[in-house]
Amino acid sequence: VVAVDGKSVSTAEELTAEMGYIKARFESEPRALVEVTFETKSDAPSPWAPSEGDLTKTIVMDALGGFGWVRGGSTGGPLCIEEVRPGKQAAMLGIKTGYVIVAVEGVEVSTAEAFNVEIGKAKDRAKDQAKDHAGQKAPVKVTFKKGGGATHQNDN
């Protein structure tokens, strides 16, 4: 959401405040028409179509935000997404069960240890920058492919 009734909003707090103002303004009305302007990103992730085969897909995630999945690989198996938690980062970005993590920031990862090392680097970069920016996020590119795997580890 980028605007409500023509007023620009750039944070969740601004959106909440504007919606509260509109609610108060139309409290006695049974219904109110409000114009909400959305902006979509052309690079937003989407699930693979069944016919696309074994393609890879890179999605930018927040390494500090908890991924919202249970993944395999804790005992050396593939880094397969075994569960996606509704409403969490992975679900909101279109990640599905069965996806396999194959790279982080372009570095191939095939074990939980390698995955954790690369995610740790992204978190360290964000912490270094956080001194200058409140509410810092740790953007990290995670590359997935379709596939399947075994043993799980909870990544929030």
Side-chain angles (χ1 to χ4, degrees):
V1 176
V2 294
V4 176
D5 272 353
K7 182 174 180 188
S8 176
V9 293
S10 59
T11 66
E13 291 81 19
E14 288 177 359
L15 175 62
T16 301
E18 190 61 24
M19 293 306 291
Y21 171 74
I22 289 169
K23 181 180 175 187
R25 188 172 58 175
F26 293 105
E27 198 163 14
S28 63
E29 303 287 326
R31 291 169 44 177
L33 183 61
V34 177
E35 179 184 354
V36 178
T37 306
F38 294 90
E39 180 179 280
T40 59
K41 296 182 179 180
S42 61
D43 63 344
S46 61
W48 280 283
S51 63
E52 289 181 332
D54 199 22
L55 302 175
T56 60
K57 175 181 296 277
T58 300
I59 299 173
V60 178
M61 303 187 76
D62 178 13
L64 295 178
F67 295 114
W69 64 43
V70 174
R71 67 164 167 79
S74 61
T75 60
L79 298 171
C80 181
I81 304 303
E82 296 179 347
E83 178 186 340
V84 176
R85 294 200 172 99
K88 301 292 184 183
Q89 181 178 194
M92 294 187 302
L93 292 171
I95 296 166
K96 305 290 182 199
T97 19
Y99 287 12
V100 177
I101 301 166
V102 295
V104 175
E105 288 295 323
V107 177
E108 189 174 320
V109 294
S110 59
T111 66
E113 181 181 7
F115 172 82
N116 291 335
V117 166
E118 295 307 315
I119 293 300
K121 290 177 185 177
K123 289 179 179 181
D124 289 343
R125 281 191 304 272
K127 288 175 187 172
D128 289 343
Q129 297 170 356
K131 298 168 190 161
D132 302 324
H133 301 90
Q136 182 72 30
K137 294 187 177 193
V140 60
K141 293 178 186 174
V142 181
T143 303
F144 299 87
K145 74 172 187 172
K146 285 183 68 176
T151 61
H152 71 277
Q153 177 169 328
N154 181 343
D155 286 329
N156 298 336

